[in-house]
Amino acid sequence: MNSLTQDIVHFISQFDHYKIDPAAYRLAKIGIMDSIACMFAGSEEPVVQILATHFCQRTGNGQTEVAVPFLGQKSLPLEQAACLWATAAHALDYDDVAMSAHPSTVLMPVVMTGAFNFSASGQAVLNAYILGYEVWAELFTREKDPYHIKGWHPTAIFGTVAGAAAYAYLSRLPQEKIANALGLAASMASGLVANFGTMTKPLHAGRAASMAIEAVELARAGITACPDIFEHKAGFLKAVSPAGNVDTGSPAELGKTWRLAQQGLNIKQYPVCYSGHRVIDGTLEIINKENFNLEEIASITATIGRPQASMLRNPCPETGLEAKFSLEFDIACALLVRKVGLAELSDDFVRRPDLLAIYPKIKIDITDVLDPADTAFALNDRVVIVLKDGRVFDSGDIRYPVGHANLPLDTNKLQAKFMDCLQIWENNMDISGKAQPLYDALSALEKQENIRVAIDGILA
């Protein structure tokens, strides 16, 4: 009987023999395109610029280098390039969500920088992304309890391992070394919820992408690791489990069903923590329908799950970074300007007196009825606004935010988000005309014979 680790190794080594659900390919392309757009939009964020300067000061040691498109095609060693790509993709917290985490913000940089490095095809990129997602889902779905409550950032801990699986496939790591790569990645994985609302949070994604690649290359060089890292009593799943309620004994379901096709990806409409998106939707629906003056509000009550509250930890944020993790900001911003966009995440906007005046009226209630499909969220969120004249506006139970896999954005809205994100980058770089050709090339990703040639030809 194979172990879980052996099942994953087999899945990676034999992946080209599986028949993949076409829906998985479609969603993989959406995840890659959306996270690339978020990467360009986030490329001017301070954490990205600091990291770029740090890496650029350490280059020149003869390593294989990969282009960083938003740095004017400047090249960096592969692991550093992947770290920058991923940090930029997560810097605005605008990237997709699934499995209580942000899978594309790690998987896209790993497979794209890897494809640049190997001059791989678009089809190989899609395959590697799907493989990484499936390994991520196989491990994540074995846990009953929410990781955020314990303090783990799932993007970082699972992203490192799933990214290593994807890169092992893309780089054709010999089968006998794959378990070592996974064991190395498992020991490299880390990321803490305490750092949400700081520059370190997007760096979690960057380090996960970087460590995923390094784990594979160290295994290729001959470093060994635990051969049963996932089912071992002191291994990865037991170690990170919040209360030990993790299944390490059941056989893997890899390749039998395609979880990417079943679970999908949740595309963000707002560049803030996903834990507040349902409340934003409910607040916007109420204010746009009822159109009352904010001075009329007596109280606002938002009901969310305990894991969400652990992430939305800034009741009175003072910076744009802090505001991304504040339900009070989400509600007040939606009421004040009837949108929550990138422009509203500036420090100046966050400190507006008319925004701050709404906070004392907001109360957060907690429900312990969690979504069985994703225990980082309540089954439903809710918003109730009471006016001074006694009128009550109730959103009712909100099951899914707009953009969720069960309430997806259409192609036009996905393209509009892509173009909006690229417009930010083009404005910052004082260039124009790159967004549409890049969108067209990525839309035909499976037809690209050489990713490096295709993307370099557009962005050069």
Side-chain angles (χ1 to χ4, degrees):
M1 180 178 176
N2 283 349
S3 69
L4 175 57
T5 304
Q6 289 172 335
D7 286 344
I8 293 174
V9 169
H10 177 82
F11 182 66
I12 296 169
S13 65
Q14 300 300 311
F15 190 74
D16 287 332
H17 300 293
Y18 288 91
K19 183 176 175 57
I20 300 172
D21 188 330
Y25 278 120
R26 179 181 63 82
L27 288 164
K29 189 190 300 185
I30 289 173
I32 289 169
M33 293 179 68
D34 185 72
S35 56
I36 284 177
C38 293
M39 176 188 76
F40 279 107
S43 62
E44 290 295 311
E45 287 295 291
V47 61
V48 180
Q49 294 299 304
I50 292 169
L51 198 58
T53 299
H54 174 68
F55 286 155
C56 288
Q57 290 171 345
R58 301 169 64 193
T59 58
N61 57 4
Q63 298 179 57
T64 300
E65 295 193 344
V66 170
V68 180
F70 53 81
L71 293 182
Q73 291 298 90
K74 181 175 179 59
S75 294
L76 289 172
L78 177 58
E79 291 91 339
Q80 294 181 2
C83 186
L84 260 183
W85 280 53
T87 302
H90 199 40
L92 295 175
D93 239 290
Y94 207 7
D95 47 303
D96 63 34
V97 175
M99 302 173 289
S100 303
H102 303 269
S104 295
T105 205
V106 178
L107 295 176
M108 179 279 290
V110 168
V111 301
M112 285 295 289
T113 58
F116 270 54
N117 189 40
F118 302 121
S119 296
S121 68
Q123 187 64 53
V125 165
L126 291 169
N127 285 349
Y129 177 100
I130 293 168
L131 186 154
Y133 185 104
E134 296 300 317
V135 170
W136 194 319
E138 177 65 47
L139 296 175
F140 173 79
T141 53
R142 290 171 173 271
E143 176 58 59
K144 298 178 180 179
D145 299 310
Y147 285 98
H148 292 89
I149 293 293
K150 180 65 175 176
W152 289 120
H153 183 191
T155 301
I157 58 173
F158 287 100
T160 306
V161 174
Y167 189 73
Y169 163 81
L170 191 65
S171 66
R172 301 300 175 182
L173 184 69
Q175 181 174 352
E176 65 271 16
K177 295 189 175 184
I178 293 175
N180 289 332
L182 297 173
L184 280 159
S187 273
M188 293 173 171
S190 183
L192 302 175
V193 170
N195 273 315
F196 282 21
T198 74
M199 292 185 192
T200 299
K201 203 254 189 178
L203 186 58
H204 288 171
R207 292 292 290 169
S210 175
M211 292 296 97
I213 292 172
E214 186 166 355
V216 171
E217 294 306 327
L218 289 175
R220 192 189 307 279
I223 291 183
T224 61
C226 175
D228 55 349
I229 194 64
F230 298 123
E231 64 274 14
H232 194 285
K233 64 181 181 181
F236 177 76
L237 289 176
K238 286 287 188 181
V240 301
S241 178
N245 297 320
V246 63
D247 174 14
T248 59
S250 298
E253 296 297 319
L254 292 162
K256 298 176 183 177
T257 59
W258 296 95
R259 290 185 173 98
L260 177 54
Q262 293 178 338
Q263 299 172 179
L265 294 169
N266 309 315
I267 305 299
K268 284 188 171 185
Q269 284 206 113
Y270 316 114
V272 296
C273 180
Y274 197 56
S275 293
H277 279 221
R278 290 187 289 191
V279 168
I280 295 173
D281 283 347
T283 303
L284 286 173
E285 183 176 357
I286 290 172
I287 188 64
N288 287 330
K289 179 181 178 182
E290 304 300 339
N291 205 30
F292 47 81
N293 292 324
L294 302 190
E295 293 78 12
E296 299 179 72
I297 297 174
S299 67
I300 305 161
T301 302
T303 303
I304 60 173
R306 196 172 304 277
Q308 293 160 266
S310 73
M311 291 177 265
L312 298 169
R313 55 199 297 271
N314 299 318
C316 191
E318 297 182 0
T319 67
L321 276 175
E322 292 177 353
K324 289 176 179 293
F325 299 90
S326 171
L327 192 63
E328 288 81 358
F329 171 82
D330 293 343
I331 295 167
C333 183
L335 289 170
L336 186 63
V337 295
R338 304 195 184 193
K339 63 188 182 80
V340 180
L342 293 170
E344 287 70 57
L345 271 298
S346 70
D347 292 352
D348 287 342
F349 182 89
V350 170
R351 295 168 184 155
R352 281 179 54 164
D354 50 355
L355 186 78
L356 300 179
I358 302 172
Y359 291 168
K361 300 180 180 182
I362 299 173
K363 177 188 176 186
I364 310 299
D365 279 352
I366 301 298
T367 174
D368 288 315
V369 180
L370 301 182
D371 184 349
D374 192 340
T375 56
F377 299 89
L379 184 62
N380 299 288
D381 290 353
R382 191 170 195 154
V383 184
V384 178
I385 299 177
V386 179
L387 302 189
K388 294 175 181 177
D389 62 9
R391 286 181 291 166
V392 177
F393 304 118
D394 188 343
S395 70
D397 288 343
I398 308 170
R399 184 73 179 90
Y400 302 113
V402 177
H404 187 276
N406 291 324
L407 199 60
L409 302 179
D410 61 28
T411 300
N412 290 335
K413 289 182 178 178
L414 290 170
Q415 182 174 1
K417 178 181 175 181
F418 185 95
M419 293 301 179
D420 285 346
C421 286
L422 267 290
Q423 185 64 50
I424 295 169
W425 173 65
E426 288 187 338
N427 289 344
N428 287 333
M429 294 293 290
D430 195 24
I431 58 176
S432 63
K434 304 288 188 182
Q436 188 63 53
L438 182 60
Y439 180 85
D440 292 341
L442 294 172
S443 295
L445 189 60
E446 70 280 5
K447 299 177 182 178
Q448 305 299 340
E449 295 183 1
N450 185 320
I451 288 296
R452 177 191 285 272
V453 171
I455 303 301
D456 280 357
I458 294 167
L459 300 179

